[in-house]
Amino acid sequence: GKNEVGDFDVFICYNSNDREEILEIGNRLKKLGLLPWLDEWQLRPGLPWQEILEEQIGQIKTAAIFVGKEGIGPWQRQEMRAFLREFVNRRCPVIPVLLKSAPKKPKLPMFLSAMTWVDFSKGDPNPMGQLLFGISGKR
């Protein structure tokens, strides 16, 4: 299946403080038939993770940048910048996603705030549906 060839649908970029919420969303995406790239699931112990990340950033089709109560973490900021650069060149979606725990007016980097986002603190429009649409391009 997809997993062996590493045909990931979306790179999950998150702050480790939001791990619980992220794992839950990742599992829901899997149930819906998508393959999320999540460091905790994909990074094999004993291998240099930065190389693996660079590889994914170079080939993956979409990225979801999750923002929770702590905002964007320092390492997450680096990943996000790489995605924005790479994805502008490849015209891939970078989806900002506000978690339930996100502050009401989160401070988002200017380039990210220009993108249409998904908000898990609101029920309407359905955030999971919006996230799927962002990742797959299908409603």
Side-chain angles (χ1 to χ4, degrees), residues 12-29 38-39 41 65-67 99:
I12 305 286
C13 177
Y14 69 105
N15 185 327
S16 50
N17 295 318
D18 300 317
R19 186 175 164 274
E20 295 301 305
E21 266 181 287
I22 294 299
L23 289 174
E24 186 195 324
I25 290 173
N27 282 316
R28 285 173 67 192
L29 288 171
L38 186 59
D39 55 2
W41 295 339
I65 314 282
F66 288 85
V67 183
L99 292 166

Side-chain angles (χ1 to χ4, degrees), residues 90-129:
R90 291 201 285 129
R91 302 189 67 83
C92 302
V94 177
I95 311 161
V97 184
L98 298 179
L99 292 166
K100 277 195 186 93
S101 62
K104 278 291 155 265
K105 285 254 178 279
K107 281 193 173 42
L108 288 185
M110 202 183 293
F111 287 112
L112 197 59
S113 59
M115 312 286 184
T116 305
W117 48 17
V118 173
D119 189 347
F120 272 87
S121 70
K122 296 190 172 81
D124 186 43
N126 176 313
M128 207 64 202

Side-chain angles (χ1 to χ4, degrees), residues 71-89:
I72 293 179
W75 177 253
Q76 184 188 13
R77 194 171 292 279
Q78 300 294 334
E79 288 179 349
M80 176 194 72
R81 290 204 175 111
F83 277 114
L84 287 168
R85 272 196 307 273
E86 172 73 23
F87 282 21
V88 161
N89 296 338

Side-chain angles (χ1 to χ4, degrees), residues 2-4 6-11 29-30 33-37 42 60:
K2 281 183 172 180
N3 223 337
E4 293 95 81
D7 187 13
F8 295 98
D9 294 300
V10 59
F11 184 101
L29 288 171
K30 276 185 179 168
L34 290 175
L35 186 58
W37 194 97
Q42 312 304 338
I60 210 151

